[in-house]
Amino acid sequence: MIILGIESTAHTFGVGIVRDSEENFVLADVRTKYEPKEGGIHPREASRFFAEKGPETLRIALGEAGINPKELNAIAVALGPGMGPCLRVGATIARTIASYLGKPLVPVNHAVAHIEIGLKITKLKDPVVVYLSGGNTAIVALVNKRYRVFGETLDIALGNLLDSFARDVGLAPPYVVNGMHVVDICAEKGSRILNNFPYVVRGQDVSFSGLYTAAMKAFKKGVDIHDICLTLREIAYNSVLEVAARALMHTKKREIMVVGGVAASPVLREKLEMLAKRYGAELGVVPPNYAVDNGIMIAWTGLLMYKSGITIEPRRAVVNQRWRVDEVDIVWR
Amino acid sequence: MEVDTELIKVLEEFLNEKVVIAYASGFEEKKLLRGLEFLSMGAEAIIAKCLFLDIDAVIKWRFPKPYMPAELDREFRRNRTITEVKALIKALSLGINVPIPLYTEPDEGLLIMTYIDGFVLRDIIDRISLDKVCEICRNVGVYTAKLHENSIVHGDVTTSNVMLDKVTGKIYLIDFGLTNFVKRIEDQAIDVHIFFRSIESAHHNVEDIAKKCFIEGYRSVKGSYTDKVLRIVDNIRKMGRYVAERKIKSVWVMQ
């Protein structure tokens, strides 16, 4: 069985081709990334970029896999959550090739795909999932055939907090240098934790907007930037870790898995290792190459879904910018 | 588990301490603390059973978190311990069933309180009758509302923090570790939101009845104020990522 998956939820247009196999399941993995010269991702600009580069990305992927498109069993596409204009480019391309080739179309949730590729790579069975990226901060675990949200951010995401702060104080772009986020690098020279930065954990939820405001205020007052970075990072990371520990104890699961772009942070990873040890759990960190947005994860999740008989008519395959992870029935687990 | 041995180290002085009780007939020497037995480990604390001055007690020890910066960790453990004791005493004075604090050492993150011989709601909710679920949740609603009425938000009203006494059947609210002394309606709504979430995430089958009865209990104390709280609960839920029904009114407010 061979499945082609298309990812276009934010800054990456990715095409992945996978086959149903334990090892060497990736036949092709091509990613075209939109990198704005300044500021964050503008959805319109990103979608224009996707429309321009999409067909070429697809062609390269098919060439890499060395297959005739007719050999594909199904086309999978991320229909959400994400930025509308970006999602529509991927959806349009997927609907077109599915119709043209007469192949079934599989609707994939981007967040579910992050989890599924993580499970495939880390070989964990039933972990508490810590999903950290630019747009998402959520602690998720499988209960009764759904990835239920145990805790999430009530305002901005962790990646968004770090990126926005770095950008607004002039540390970025680039956001990541040698695999480290610039806020992590800046924090290394910090020497003290500042007072009066809000640590907000409400039950299982976190909130970062107040932290961002406190950090910007301190910056404008001329407080040492390294101390601000250190405080911001420690409070942000630790609030996520506290919620993760709670989910671990609440669900009584013995594994913890980190997915999403922020998972690449070595500082966070070290903290998670200590946390896992403290609570007697096994830790799996999805390697950066698979933790960031890519087409492989869409294709792989599409494969699991297709094997369970989930497909969608192309004319019904509309995008959903706010498609929550807990709205998807996980029938294959 | 390594946390166990760490706790014994913290308690070392206690375990060796003796009290002398004077009777008319003479003196009796007793150990201050004995019969230590580990019960469970939570996210932020370990719970052990013991006899403290011959009273059945639990020790709640907020253990150090190696992944936190030491100063931040110490401050959190200290503050949360102090807050918990204050909140427990206030709750007792309001007639809410909670453990009675017996001893505390905030700098160590240590709290000793009376033991409740009971079941945790989370563990039994799927095998008790719907009427019982309703009764318990209604009580939790009453407790939560009473706390709110007195400017306390519990901060973690989940099914893991509600206990049912094995003998008396009394319903207890435990773990005031995240309590705040505030009267903002937003914070009160978060309490309600957290309870709903804990029901939705782990006890899907009883979701409707549990929420309905909780609201009934809450309303019996707070009256029409309840609707204001529920409206904010709705807004909080819409703040979560990618909530599809941002414009749909909640069924709970319309009832």
Side-chain angles (χ1 to χ4, degrees):
Chain A
M1 181 179 290
I2 302 176
I3 308 285
L4 179 142
I6 297 176
E7 152 70 27
S8 73
T9 58
H11 48 56
T12 300
F13 189 94
V15 178
I17 302 175
V18 302
R19 59 181 178 143
D20 193 5
S21 147
E22 274 299 311
E23 302 298 323
N24 301 323
F25 69 107
V26 178
L27 299 179
D29 177 7
V30 184
R31 309 168 189 191
T32 309
K33 197 173 172 195
Y34 169 72
E35 276 165 352
K37 284 184 193 69
E38 56 182 276
I41 308 165
H42 192 301
R44 186 189 62 215
E45 297 305 320
S47 67
R48 272 188 191 161
F49 177 83
F50 287 176
E52 219 169 86
K53 305 283 184 184
E56 190 191 336
T57 312
L58 187 65
R59 204 174 305 122
I60 297 171
L62 284 167
E64 208 174 84
I67 55 160
N68 185 312
K70 283 180 186 149
E71 294 173 55
L72 293 170
N73 294 75
I75 311 296
V77 60
L79 289 181
M83 299 179 183
C86 300
L87 285 166
R88 276 177 212 113
V89 178
T92 305
I93 292 178
R95 284 190 297 254
T96 307
I97 51 178
S99 307
Y100 180 74
L101 296 169
K103 303 288 183 187
L105 189 62
V106 185
V108 176
N109 178 296
H110 175 86
V112 170
H114 266 301
I115 297 170
E116 290 298 343
I117 196 70
L119 293 175
K120 171 78 175 162
I121 303 289
T122 61
K123 297 195 162 59
L124 294 178
K125 295 276 175 295
D126 184 18
V128 164
V129 180
V130 182
Y131 178 20
L132 305 173
S133 68
N136 290 276
T137 299
I139 312 293
V140 178
L142 188 68
V143 177
N144 292 339
K145 303 251 170 204
R146 290 232 177 156
Y147 287 116
R148 311 254 173 216
V149 177
F150 276 78
E152 62 186 328
T153 177
L154 293 174
D155 38 55
I156 57 174
L158 178 58
N160 193 346
L161 167 78
L162 297 177
D163 287 356
S164 299
F165 174 75
R167 186 166 64 232
D168 295 345
V169 300
L171 289 169
Y175 297 90
V176 176
V177 178
N178 297 329
M180 294 264 282
H181 197 279
V182 286
V183 173
D184 274 342
I185 297 171
C186 155
E188 272 181 7
K189 284 191 193 140
S191 59
R192 66 195 180 102
I193 302 282
L194 302 166
N195 288 329
N196 302 324
F197 272 47
Y199 178 97
V200 185
V201 172
R202 291 284 157 74
Q204 320 247 21
D205 290 330
V206 293
S207 153
F208 295 128
S209 58
L211 189 55
Y212 169 82
T213 307
M216 287 311 290
K217 262 190 196 160
F219 176 72
K220 280 174 193 150
K221 265 194 217 152
V223 178
D224 181 16
I225 182 78
H226 303 294
D227 288 343
I228 302 177
C229 288
L230 179 68
T231 312
L232 180 81
R233 175 187 87 188
E234 289 300 331
I235 292 190
Y237 284 3
N238 285 310
S239 50
V240 171
L241 290 170
E242 179 172 352
V243 176
R246 289 160 152 264
L248 205 56
M249 292 292 131
H250 190 77
T251 57
K252 303 200 165 142
K253 293 189 193 286
R254 311 294 298 165
E255 297 169 334
I256 182 162
M257 181 174 85
V258 197
V259 297
V262 186
S265 163
V267 180
L268 186 66
R269 189 200 172 105
E270 195 188 330
K271 283 176 181 288
L272 278 159
E273 273 164 6
M274 287 192 273
L275 180 138
K277 187 164 170 278
R278 178 108 273 197
Y279 297 99
E282 194 186 330
L283 174 71
V285 180
V286 183
N289 189 36
Y290 288 98
V292 298
D293 293 355
N294 62 78
I296 294 292
M297 65 184 202
I298 306 299
W300 176 251
T301 310
L303 186 142
L304 295 173
M305 294 172 75
Y306 182 61
K307 275 165 74 181
S308 305
I310 303 168
T311 58
I312 190 166
E313 267 183 77
R315 63 193 177 94
R316 291 185 193 280
V318 290
V319 304
N320 183 351
Q321 287 159 263
R322 297 191 182 122
W323 190 9
R324 282 181 66 89
V325 65
D326 54 10
E327 287 171 29
V328 183
D329 285 313
I330 311 299
V331 290
W332 55 92
R333 289 201 181 270
Chain B
M1 224 186 294
E2 54 183 302
V3 181
D4 297 10
T5 38
E6 285 174 42
L7 174 59
I8 292 175
K9 231 183 250 171
V10 171
L11 290 175
E12 206 166 25
E13 231 176 87
F14 269 137
L15 289 163
N16 294 327
E17 203 162 317
K18 286 178 181 159
V19 284
V20 177
I21 301 168
Y23 299 102
S25 53
F27 296 96
E28 192 188 355
E29 208 181 54
K30 274 191 173 168
K31 278 192 152 180
L32 176 67
L33 193 146
R34 61 197 166 92
L36 195 64
E37 185 191 324
F38 293 98
L39 290 183
S40 66
M41 183 173 149
E44 66 159 350
I46 182 169
I47 307 287
K49 205 184 156 194
C50 70
L51 271 176
F52 181 77
L53 292 169
D54 278 356
I55 301 168
D56 274 323
V58 286
I59 297 175
K60 177 171 183 176
W61 181 51
R62 291 184 159 80
F63 51 81
K65 317 288 179 297
Y67 47 88
M68 295 251 291
E71 44 187 316
L72 205 61
D73 185 37
R74 215 176 302 118
E75 195 187 308
F76 277 14
R77 289 163 59 216
R78 185 186 143 81
N79 289 346
R80 287 181 180 177
T81 305
I82 293 175
T83 306
E84 180 159 18
V85 177
K86 279 188 189 164
L88 285 172
I89 292 171
K90 278 212 166 180
L92 280 171
S93 74
L94 296 172
I96 298 171
N97 294 327
V98 299
I100 304 163
L102 300 171
Y103 180 87
T104 179
E105 207 155 292
D107 288 334
E108 289 286 2
L110 190 71
L111 169 60
I112 302 179
M113 54 198 155
T114 53
Y115 175 73
I116 297 159
D117 188 17
F119 303 103
V120 175
L121 178 59
R122 182 195 62 200
D123 299 337
I124 57 164
I125 194 164
D126 294 320
R127 52 189 163 87
I128 54 177
S129 69
L130 284 181
D131 285 347
K132 194 74 193 164
V133 170
C134 179
E135 185 203 325
I136 296 170
C137 291
R138 187 182 295 125
N139 260 281
V140 177
V142 170
Y143 289 173
T144 310
K146 275 190 181 175
L147 290 173
H148 291 178
E149 188 80 6
N150 290 278
S151 306
I152 304 170
V153 293
H154 181 279
D156 197 18
V157 189
T158 64
T159 49
S160 309
N161 288 334
V162 175
M163 283 187 81
L164 198 64
D165 192 299
K166 275 180 191 166
V167 184
T168 63
K170 276 188 185 171
I171 296 150
Y172 282 84
L173 193 57
I174 61 167
D175 195 354
F176 285 67
L178 288 178
T179 297
N180 256 313
F181 297 97
V182 287
K183 53 180 162 197
R184 282 199 336 154
I185 190 167
E186 286 80 6
D187 292 276
Q188 297 169 351
I190 288 172
D191 253 3
V192 177
H193 162 66
I194 288 167
F195 183 73
F196 286 3
R197 168 74 73 66
S198 86
I199 293 278
E200 286 159 14
S201 59
H203 319 293
H204 216 53
N205 326 337
V206 296
E207 184 181 330
D208 291 343
I209 188 121
K211 285 179 175 174
K212 185 176 139 265
C213 297
F214 177 92
I215 294 169
E216 273 173 27
Y218 197 93
R219 196 182 293 278
S220 71
V221 178
K222 299 289 275 181
S224 61
Y225 182 81
T226 309
D227 296 320
K228 284 190 189 169
V229 175
L230 290 175
R231 219 163 287 140
I232 297 173
V233 170
D234 258 16
N235 288 335
I236 294 168
R237 302 167 85 78
K238 287 169 197 158
M239 282 166 158
R241 302 301 277 179
Y242 314 125
V243 176
E245 314 84 14
R246 288 205 204 235
K247 293 209 170 111
I248 297 174
K249 271 196 182 167
S250 152
V251 289
W252 305 110
V253 178
M254 301 223 290
Q255 261 183 1

